[in-house]
Amino acid sequence: MKPNIFIILAFPMMLFFSCNSDDDSVTESDRSQALLGQWEYESIDSNTAVDINGDGTVNVDLFNTNEIRQCLKDNLTFFSSRGAEEKGAFSINENGLSCGEVPAFQNVEDDSYELIDNRIIRFDNRNDWIIVEFSQNRLVVDQEDFLDDQDVVITYSFKRS
């Protein structure tokens, strides 16, 4: 009789954990709408160790090290719609910690973008972002770049803020 009690008690727990599917996921057809809003950095990683701050130490984790200044890490990224026939608006806001070039809470970058095949964010003035992961509250993209005299792929992870 004891094994049956275990099964009865364990069954609700199994249902709870097995039903925890990706309710947060975004279908490809809904990505253009789900992209809109305010995003903040969660992590920034390189596929190759780089020394972009010139301190002699190479890192893959660019966010949790000193490779990127804190005043850049707190920047906010915005996607907004301009209408059905126009490209979307993209901006990066200085947020609270200014790096000095632009006052706090002002945009440091403005651009236009379009979503290509629901998997590529194509900008007018910056390299494409390839969507790696997308949920209601998380966006992970890859961007090809040239840092520390080498071609790299930078992975930006954002959380909705």
Side-chain angles (χ1 to χ4, degrees):
M1 182 96 175
K2 288 184 182 180
N4 291 338
I5 292 173
F6 174 75
I7 291 171
I8 291 170
L9 292 175
F11 185 71
M13 292 300 286
M14 290 184 336
L15 278 178
F16 174 77
F17 288 110
S18 66
C19 289
N20 191 12
S21 65
D22 202 2
D23 297 334
D24 198 21
S25 67
V26 175
T27 63
E28 283 194 11
S29 61
D30 293 333
R31 285 182 172 181
S32 62
Q33 196 61 32
L35 188 60
L36 302 178
Q38 176 178 305
W39 299 86
E40 63 183 89
Y41 294 116
E42 194 171 55
S43 67
I44 304 171
D45 297 295
S46 173
N47 69 330
T48 304
V50 293
D51 178 18
I52 57 176
N53 67 0
D55 68 356
T57 303
V58 296
N59 290 292
V60 171
D61 182 347
L62 307 179
F63 190 78
N64 293 310
T65 62
N66 291 322
E67 293 299 333
I68 299 174
R69 297 183 298 169
Q70 187 61 39
C71 60
L72 296 173
K73 295 176 192 179
D74 82 324
N75 287 354
L76 298 173
T77 299
F78 294 89
F79 292 92
S80 57
S81 176
R82 292 183 176 152
E85 300 301 316
E86 293 189 53
K87 292 181 179 180
F90 170 83
S91 62
I92 298 177
N93 186 277
E94 187 68 271
N95 204 7
L97 295 175
S98 173
C99 288
E101 296 84 22
V102 177
F105 308 110
Q106 298 294 314
N107 286 351
V108 295
E109 184 178 343
D110 290 298
D111 204 345
S112 295
Y113 77 93
E114 58 186 323
L115 188 59
I116 307 294
D117 296 329
N118 291 312
R119 59 180 198 83
I120 299 170
I121 303 170
R122 177 147 302 144
F123 299 95
D124 287 349
N125 300 308
R126 63 173 24 236
N127 293 347
D128 291 351
W129 285 359
I130 309 300
I131 297 173
V132 176
E133 180 185 331
F134 199 173
S135 67
Q136 290 294 333
N137 296 307
R138 189 160 197 260
L139 173 65
V140 180
V141 297
D142 283 345
Q143 175 186 326
E144 293 180 0
D145 209 336
F146 188 77
L147 299 174
D148 198 21
D149 296 325
Q150 58 188 322
D151 291 319
V152 297
V153 175
I154 303 298
T155 301
Y156 297 96
S157 298
F158 297 92
K159 61 182 175 181
R160 191 172 297 277
S161 58

